[in-house]
Each structure stands twice: as C-alpha cells, then as structure tokens.
Amino acid sequence: MQLIDGKSLANKIQTDIATKVSKLKDEKNITPGLAVLLIGDDPASQAYVKMKAKACKEVGFYSIVHEMPTTITQDEIISTIEMMNANPRIDGILVQLPLPSHIDTDKIIEIIEPKKDVDGFHPYNVGRLVAGLDSFVACTPLGVMKMFEEYNIDLKGKDVCVVGASNIVGKPMASLLLNANATVTITHIHTKDLAFHTKKADIVIVGTGVPKLIKKDMIKEGAIVVDIGIIKLPDGTITGDVDFPAVSPLCSYITPVPGGVGPMTIAMLLSNTLKSAQKREI
Ligand code: GUN
C-alpha cells in the first residue's frame, strides 16, 4: 500500500505558482487577485476561507475577503459580485458554500463572470468541462486528477466508481474521468447497493461527508481509494469517508485524511486564479 501524499504535492505546486507569480509581476506588472465572499458564520467555512487567504498570501496574490452576516440579502450579495466582476485587479471570485437557506445559490453562481469563476461552478464552465473544452474546473476534482498524474496512475479503460453526485465534487469528477477515457459509475444516496458498485471498481473516489462510509468489504484487493471527505467528529478527531485503518491494507494506493485531497483543493484554487491572471486583458 502506498499513500498518496497530497500535502507534499500541494506544497510543490504552491512553490511553482509562487515562482510564476513573481515572473508575471516582473514581466507584465500583473499581481493575481482573488476575492472571496464569506457569508454567515459557519465555522467550517470560516476555517476554509482562512486557509485560502493564507495560501494566497504565501504565493504573492492580492486577496480580499468580503465577510457578510447571515442576514444579508440576495441583492446585496449580487451587488458585491458585480463589483468584483468589474474590478480589474480581481482575476478570481469565490463564494464559499454553503450559503444561508434564504439565498438562491444557483442564482449567485450565475452572477459570477465565467472568466473569473475560479471555482468552476458556473454553468458556462460546467458545460465546457462536459464538452471536453478548456474551462475552469472545480478545485477538488481537479486536485484528484493532479494526484493521479503525479503518481502515474493511468485512467484509460479503468473502472472508476464515484461515490457522491454533488455539483462541487461528484459530477465534475465524473466528467474529468470520462474525458480521461475511464469507465465511470456514479453512485449516490439513492443507489440501491453501493457495495455492489464499489467492489467492482479499480478506483473508488468518495465525496459524501458520511464518516467511514466505505468499509473493508466494499473494496477489492489492489484498488485505489481516494477519500475526499473531511469530517470533525464530536471528540475532535478528523476522519474521512473511508474507514482508513480497515481499508488501507487492501489498497495499492490510498489518500490519507487529513493530508490527502484537502491541500490539493487549495493548490488548485491558486492554480486556477493564476491561469485567469495570465489571461488578463490589459
Ligand atoms: N464548499 C465546500 N467546498 C467548496 C469549494 O470548493 N468552493 C466553495 N466556494 N465552497 C465550497
């Protein structure tokens, strides 16, 4: 069993981005800029935004965090996004999800200028991804693809089971895998027999937020397991969607939690923002 070390790969990517940022500043006088909207007081969202802002600082980006109370109206959020769409110093706009229940998330995402949609959530970018065209791709699934590339894991013809069908993780993950010529099964909360599908797969990618959903008897010997879940249990310990101690001995490769996919998500956000800045029209 080999661990897929997302933390060290993310560090390597971050160092490379910092070098490219210096070059962009020297050669074109461009500093990549990211605007993050944090709405409400969800502690997990606050922690993620803090990590994103820290990473931006480390690579030399200009970054701003707009913090808004839960009571904010949809129109006020829309005005802020429109301001960021028009701001030439901002290359990327990210609205941290989930949003308070009175806000229409789909509507908010559609207001973001697709060229600044570094989260890859806008239907324009989702459509381009499905069509196999260049687009901004959601950071977590993009990070998983980078891990496969780094560890020379060939996807062509592999049976891959994606567990979880969210817009943020499962659906874009499945599109990327299909574009890489894998045979993809997407399972979700209504799937009749989850183990039937996971047990057949060469690669299982899990992003559900259900702690330790994937047990030993659901994985075939030699499989590759990617755990996208990160959950804080009531006792304070961090776990993923996979029962790691039981499942890992069976695997050829497995991602740990923490230190697996998590750091890659942030590295891909930086990478998408840099990509946007490199295309800035000045
Ligand atoms: N909430 C959970 N994951 C993400 C993500 O990748 N981007 C945003 N904006 N919100 C999230």
Side-chain angles (χ1 to χ4, degrees):
M1 181 272 288
Q2 195 183 343
L3 275 184
I4 300 182
D5 184 348
K7 196 164 176 214
S8 70
L9 176 56
N11 279 338
K12 195 167 95 175
I13 292 169
Q14 203 167 307
T15 305
D16 177 54
I17 290 173
T19 309
K20 289 181 174 148
V21 171
S22 281
K23 206 167 147 226
L24 199 60
K25 283 182 187 175
D26 291 346
E27 291 176 0
K28 293 194 175 166
N29 199 26
I30 288 174
T31 301
L34 177 71
V36 177
L37 273 69
L38 172 60
I39 299 146
D41 47 18
D42 175 47
S45 289
Q46 286 169 338
Y48 288 132
V49 167
K50 213 166 154 182
M51 285 192 277
K52 288 170 184 177
K54 180 171 167 271
C56 283
K57 201 168 161 198
E58 283 166 1
V59 295
F61 284 4
Y62 163 66
S63 81
I64 41 179
V65 178
H66 285 273
E67 284 191 52
M68 299 171 173
T70 311
T71 51
I72 196 103
T73 66
Q74 179 150 307
D75 284 347
E76 284 170 293
I77 301 173
I78 290 174
S79 308
T80 307
I81 295 172
E82 283 171 342
M83 216 163 64
M84 296 300 109
N85 282 342
N87 184 340
R89 290 187 70 191
I90 295 299
D91 301 288
I93 302 169
L94 181 152
V95 180
Q96 187 65 34
L97 303 181
L99 295 176
S101 56
H102 67 284
I103 306 292
D104 179 348
T105 302
D106 295 337
K107 172 97 199 230
I108 294 298
I109 289 170
E110 283 199 82
I111 298 292
I112 299 170
E113 160 63 44
K115 287 195 182 88
K116 297 189 178 188
D117 170 38
V118 288
D119 249 337
F121 294 166
H122 191 289
Y124 174 86
N125 284 312
V126 175
R128 290 187 63 91
L129 168 64
V130 172
L133 302 170
D134 181 54
S135 64
F136 284 120
V137 177
C139 302
T140 301
L142 187 59
V144 174
M145 295 301 280
K146 284 276 170 207
M147 289 171 135
F148 290 146
E149 199 182 301
E150 176 74 10
Y151 283 79
N152 296 315
I153 294 168
D154 185 22
L155 296 165
K156 198 193 296 176
K158 293 278 163 61
D159 290 319
V160 186
C161 181
V162 177
V163 184
S166 68
N167 287 345
I168 295 181
V169 176
K171 288 188 209 168
M173 188 76 251
S175 288
L176 286 166
L177 293 162
L178 188 57
N179 291 347
N181 300 313
T183 301
V184 187
T185 303
I186 311 174
T187 61
H188 46 77
I189 194 149
H190 301 295
T191 297
K192 274 188 282 188
D193 185 352
L194 177 60
F196 170 80
H197 297 283
T198 56
K199 222 177 158 44
K200 284 192 304 184
D202 303 311
I203 303 175
V204 179
I205 304 175
V206 201
T208 64
V210 180
K212 300 189 171 91
L213 174 71
I214 304 300
K215 311 277 190 221
K216 187 179 163 193
D217 58 1
M218 296 168 76
I219 296 295
K220 82 173 174 191
E221 183 91 41
I224 296 168
V225 173
V226 175
D227 189 349
I228 294 171
I230 179 151
I231 307 120
K232 199 172 188 179
L233 295 175
D235 68 0
T237 54
I238 302 283
T239 185
D241 293 357
V242 177
D243 182 359
F244 187 92
V247 170
S248 56
L250 284 171
C251 299
S252 54
Y253 291 91
I254 187 166
T255 62
V257 177
V261 178
M264 291 300 294
T265 298
I266 295 185
M268 292 303 101
L269 172 66
L270 300 174
S271 170
N272 281 348
T273 307
L274 174 65
K275 175 175 160 179
S276 177
Q278 284 168 332
K279 290 183 180 170
R280 196 191 283 187
E281 286 148 14
I282 40 167

